[in-house]
Amino acid sequence: MDSDGTRDTRGTHANPVPRPAGPQDGGGMPAEAAPAVPPRPTAPPTMPPLPDGSAFLGWLRTPRPETVPGVWRFGYKPRPEQEPDQVPARQLLSGALIAFLVGWLVWSLLQNGYLGAWWWVPFDLIVPDAWRGPHSSLGEVGGLIVYGGYKLLVALLIAVVVGKLGRWGEVWRRYGPPAWNRAAPTPERPPAPEQDPAEFLYLRQAGASDAADRLAGDARTGLMRDVDHARIARAWQGVRSGRHSMATFTAAVVKDGAAACLHPSGERDLPARHAQHDMVTGQVRLGTTADDPRNPYQYRGTGLALDPDLLGTSLLAVGPAGSGKTGSLVRPLAESLCLHALAGRASVVVVGAAGAGLGPADAYDVVVRIAHPESVYDLDLYGGTTDPDEAAAILAEALAGDLADPHPGSDSRRSTTVLAQLIGPFKAVHGRFPSVPELRRLLDGAPGPLAALRKALTDTGHESLLRELDARERQMGHPGDVGAVLADRIALLDRPAFAGFFDTSGSSRPFSLKALDHPVRVRIDLPERGHADASRILARLVLAQFTASVTVRDDRSLFSCLLLDDATGVVTPEAVRGIQRLRSANAGVALTLRTLDDVPRPLRSPLLGAAGCRMAFSGLTPWDGQDFAEVWGKEWIEARDVTDRQIIAETPAGKALHVVRRVITGKAATARAVTVRQVERERWSASELAHGVPPGHAVLSLTTVKGEHAPPLLVDLRGGGRV
């Protein structure tokens, strides 16, 4: 619905699906019909593929109540805001039994007259004299009813008192029929037609009844899946916003049903799913929030999920190798964003080392395998821009952005100036940007290339650009010239392994991040083995191109996200500033680090402040934990200082009373002094983060783009989000 095939970026699909172009106002609705029954996609774990469509309808009708950020909303049942003060089961049952025995004893004593006749005083005050005695005017039956009714009233009063003392009501709620009803599954009733989401009421209310009938039929017969539902809802948003015509949308839906408004790749689902997804809320489940006192009560035992509203504030995850950052976080997020891309909601770029397990190649439209001879796509070194100054700024960030602090003379502004002095004249002469070998020769300052460029500028009538070369030649003689640093860095990309990449002549198929205006799925494999420094340069390049591209998009309704598995050496001052700008551009990044030591000390606090979602995995070092403890801050808690002094009974009656009390409460008789005060305590201390997070767990804090917060939560990631 967001792309009609005529506006897609060239060469952004590894296996492009031939399709005719549709009308401009129709979005991704092809003019020709899609296959009537496409191959059935792999179903999400909550929605097995049944031919009658009951699984899809059950999934669609499952309640998803609004709740606090990060809670898995699919089938969620809200909990009380305050934790109930529950009495231990042994104490509760023993107290109830003893209260019953005490009440029965009091009633027996009253019946046998051992407590005197004082309990008949209220009866004498309210009953006329003619009703009392053996000659009562009520007769034998009436007198029996009056006297029996009074005894029953006294018995009920005793039962109420001892029931209150013995907590009989709580016993009933915890172990009686109310508890049985909660445990027994409640049969689900189909919703009323006016409340059934499977009836596509928003289409009927807008007058598109034919489209609603076609979609409802496909849903009932099993031809629709969760991605189809999300994709059509996204297409309808385009109609409501005025970007597309309602007539074209209705015609496409009536014609193709659940297969309407397809993604440009023609795919309706991923080859396989690794995690649990809910395409209605856009969430992906990562695990389960631990039932731990340090977690707020409303979060304990609930599913923990992320969605674009949270990723829009960016995410930083830190943990040692093997802690599960890739398998438990990056891959589920990549899978979720790829599903959103198929639904026309998002574009995603996943960057990691080759073989890192970021999903199969079939799950992506573009796979750039740098330094691999069989790679179908190349990476555009200049980010698809035609402006020499912008190209110089992006490339300078990649080459020398990490040198800004240790080397004041090598800051990114001077690097940008040096590159612009060479890139601008070269493009004016050749109509393209220089390749890696050509740029290296220019940065080395060899007389031959500079003289040839000077002559070409003169021959083509660009004498005004000679001043750029003159300035470059003057700076080369200075000891602190940044050109030598840039030449050393670009030499890391001028290796035989990269000979077929970063081509600027037009003979290859370069991928540019300018394509993020469309719902494209991209995976970039970095050559970690033997080229660690080059991989860091390329990772900085991709991050710089991403922040530069998404912040200048005209249509920001499409969420864009960059997932960077292992951001070692990537965080620079300019990168932190770029991350801070992403929230307003409906974009975000997710970065993983083995340790915060991989980030320069002056940038650690700004990086933690720029990321709205922060995640500390098990095995964190104490000094890394200290940084997280500082950014998570402190909270006011109620500290109770309790002093107990055992009471020694001296009389037999006192000892017997102490025994009864011990049976009911499970504790010895004590005199207790309680002091309550408000104290400020760290939410998670550095020691707790380093030593108190179990294996397979992580501590995660969340912030939505609307500013809602979730405190640091202990989350169990062991298989909680996997199929």
Side-chain angles (χ1 to χ4, degrees):
M1 190 66 197
D2 297 297
S3 174
D4 57 11
T6 61
R7 294 172 290 167
D8 288 350
T9 303
R10 284 190 182 275
T12 58
H13 306 289
N15 297 294
V17 179
R19 64 194 189 285
Q24 284 286 350
D25 61 350
M29 298 171 293
E32 296 183 4
V37 183
R40 186 181 299 279
T42 303
T46 53
M47 195 180 60
L50 296 181
D52 59 357
S54 60
F56 172 77
L57 295 179
W59 169 84
L60 186 60
R61 291 166 177 165
T62 300
R64 297 168 174 87
E66 293 288 342
T67 183
V68 290
V71 170
W72 174 252
R73 291 170 52 191
F74 181 82
Y76 172 71
K77 295 181 179 179
R79 305 179 71 178
E81 294 185 3
Q82 298 293 332
E83 181 178 5
D85 186 13
Q86 287 196 345
V87 180
R90 177 177 174 274
Q91 178 181 344
L92 179 66
L93 295 177
S94 61
L97 177 60
I98 292 177
F100 170 77
L101 295 177
V102 170
W104 177 76
L105 176 62
V106 171
W107 174 251
S108 299
L109 294 175
L110 290 175
Q111 283 286 86
N112 296 323
Y114 292 110
L115 298 181
W118 58 267
W119 65 293
W120 286 103
V121 173
F123 180 83
D124 294 336
L125 292 176
I126 61 177
V127 175
D129 294 338
W131 290 11
R132 299 195 296 268
H135 304 291
S136 172
S137 61
L138 298 176
E140 183 178 356
V141 176
L144 182 62
I145 294 175
V146 171
Y147 280 85
Y150 180 73
K151 291 181 180 180
L152 178 60
L153 181 63
V154 173
L156 290 177
L157 180 62
I158 295 174
V160 169
V161 173
V162 298
K164 186 70 173 178
L165 296 176
R167 298 188 180 95
W168 290 0
E170 186 172 348
V171 173
W172 175 263
R173 290 188 297 271
R174 195 183 299 187
Y175 302 105
W180 307 342
N181 295 335
R182 287 195 301 269
T186 303
E188 295 185 0
R189 298 180 180 179
E194 64 274 7
Q195 298 177 342
D196 192 351
E199 293 297 323
F200 297 90
L201 300 178
Y202 60 90
L203 295 180
R204 300 185 188 279
Q205 294 170 356
S209 299
D210 293 341
D213 291 339
R214 175 63 192 271
L215 294 176
D218 285 1
R220 287 190 292 268
T221 55
L223 296 178
M224 179 177 287
R225 287 297 179 264
D226 57 346
V227 178
D228 299 328
H229 182 272
R231 187 183 64 251
I232 291 171
R234 165 70 179 176
W236 178 248
Q237 290 179 0
V239 175
R240 294 289 301 272
S241 64
R243 296 195 307 269
H244 314 293
S245 85
M246 183 171 177
T248 308
F249 168 83
T250 304
V253 171
V254 171
K255 186 177 183 180
D256 300 328
C261 314
L262 281 178
H263 184 264
S265 67
E267 298 177 2
R268 296 172 59 183
D269 207 342
L270 298 180
R273 297 196 184 185
H274 177 76
Q276 296 184 28
H277 305 271
D278 183 20
M279 295 301 293
V280 173
T281 60
Q283 292 182 313
V284 54
R285 180 167 179 163
L286 299 183
T288 304
T289 308
D291 189 3
D292 188 276
R294 289 170 292 192
N295 288 337
Y297 175 69
Q298 64 267 31
Y299 278 98
R300 296 178 195 170
T302 64
L304 193 283
L306 297 180
D307 55 41
D309 281 344
L310 294 169
L311 293 177
T313 62
S314 296
L315 182 146
L316 174 66
V318 182
S323 58
K325 300 187 299 297
T326 300
S328 301
L329 177 66
V330 178
R331 183 169 180 181
L333 289 180
E335 189 175 274
S336 174
L337 291 168
C338 285
L339 290 173
H340 282 293
L342 291 179
R345 294 174 172 176
S347 56
V348 57
V349 180
V350 184
V351 182
L358 300 176
D362 293 343
Y364 297 91
D365 303 311
V366 176
V367 178
V368 182
R369 306 168 68 186
I370 299 176
H372 196 288
E374 297 181 1
S375 178
V376 178
Y377 290 94
D378 191 3
L379 181 65
D380 191 334
L381 193 65
Y382 299 97
T385 183
T386 58
D387 182 5
D389 293 332
E390 182 181 355
I394 293 174
L395 191 56
E397 169 66 13
L399 296 177
D402 60 327
L403 301 178
D405 287 329
H407 302 277
S410 301
D411 59 81
S412 58
R413 290 192 299 272
R414 294 189 61 188
S415 301
T416 301
T417 301
V418 169
L419 289 172
Q421 289 171 344
L422 298 174
I423 290 175
F426 189 96
K427 187 176 187 301
V429 171
H430 299 282
R432 61 177 178 84
F433 292 122
S435 63
V436 169
E438 292 169 335
L439 183 58
R440 180 184 180 184
R441 288 194 291 269
L442 293 173
L443 287 171
D444 281 335
L450 288 176
L453 182 57
R454 180 182 295 277
K455 182 177 183 302
L457 287 173
T458 304
D459 294 342
T460 56
H462 293 91
E463 291 84 355
S464 60
L465 294 176
L466 291 175
R467 291 176 299 178
E468 301 285 347
L469 291 183
D470 294 338
R472 177 85 285 272
E473 291 177 345
R474 287 194 303 270
Q475 294 167 3
M476 284 191 298
H478 295 173
D481 179 34
V482 73
V485 177
L486 295 174
D488 291 340
R489 287 300 181 91
I490 200 68
L492 295 172
L493 302 181
D494 189 18
R495 309 299 300 165
F498 306 122
F501 289 84
F502 318 122
D503 180 65
T504 59
S505 64
S507 59
S508 65
R509 302 178 65 184
F511 171 76
S512 166
L513 268 69
K514 294 290 185 181
L516 297 181
D517 284 340
H518 307 282
V520 63
R521 303 166 294 167
V522 184
R523 194 185 80 191
I524 301 176
D525 293 343
L526 301 178
E528 284 284 347
R529 181 174 299 178
H531 301 281
D533 291 336
S535 294
R536 295 189 185 101
I537 291 175
L538 295 174
R540 288 195 298 270
L541 178 67
V542 174
L543 179 57
Q545 291 183 1
F546 178 82
T547 55
S549 298
V550 299
T551 53
V552 296
R553 294 179 300 167
D554 293 331
D555 181 12
R556 296 185 177 181
S557 63
L558 190 74
F559 178 70
S560 293
C561 190
L562 171 66
L563 305 180
L564 188 52
D565 190 32
D566 190 5
T568 301
V570 176
V571 179
T572 66
E574 185 59 34
V576 173
R577 286 190 287 268
I579 292 173
Q580 293 171 341
R581 295 193 298 266
L582 293 179
R583 184 184 301 193
S584 60
N586 192 22
V589 298
L591 309 176
T592 68
L593 291 167
R594 293 187 180 93
T595 172
L596 287 174
D597 287 340
D598 293 332
V599 178
R601 167 54 67 180
L603 294 179
R604 294 181 194 175
S605 295
L607 176 62
L608 288 167
C613 303
R614 311 172 189 98
M615 197 169 187
F617 280 80
S618 174
L620 209 67
T621 60
W623 42 93
D624 283 348
Q626 184 61 44
D627 290 323
F628 277 98
E630 289 178 0
V631 76
W632 280 331
K634 300 180 180 181
E635 62 179 345
W636 287 99
I637 63 170
E638 187 179 81
R640 299 168 63 89
D641 297 329
V642 181
T643 303
D644 288 337
R645 180 179 60 84
Q646 186 173 358
I647 301 175
I648 306 299
E650 298 179 355
T651 63
K655 293 180 179 179
L657 181 62
H658 286 184
V659 171
V660 172
R661 179 175 178 178
R662 187 181 185 90
V663 171
I664 296 177
T665 63
K667 300 179 181 178
T670 59
R672 172 173 296 183
V674 180
T675 303
V676 180
R677 54 195 177 92
Q678 294 289 326
V679 298
E680 198 175 20
R681 189 191 68 178
E682 289 180 325
R683 298 178 185 272
W684 278 83
S685 68
S687 179
E688 288 175 328
L689 290 171
H691 308 293
V693 180
H697 290 64
V699 180
L700 170 65
S701 66
L702 303 171
T703 304
T704 69
V705 293
K706 297 179 181 178
E708 299 175 289
H709 295 270
L713 306 169
L714 180 63
V715 182
D716 186 355
L717 304 172
R718 296 172 298 183
R722 294 176 184 163
V723 177

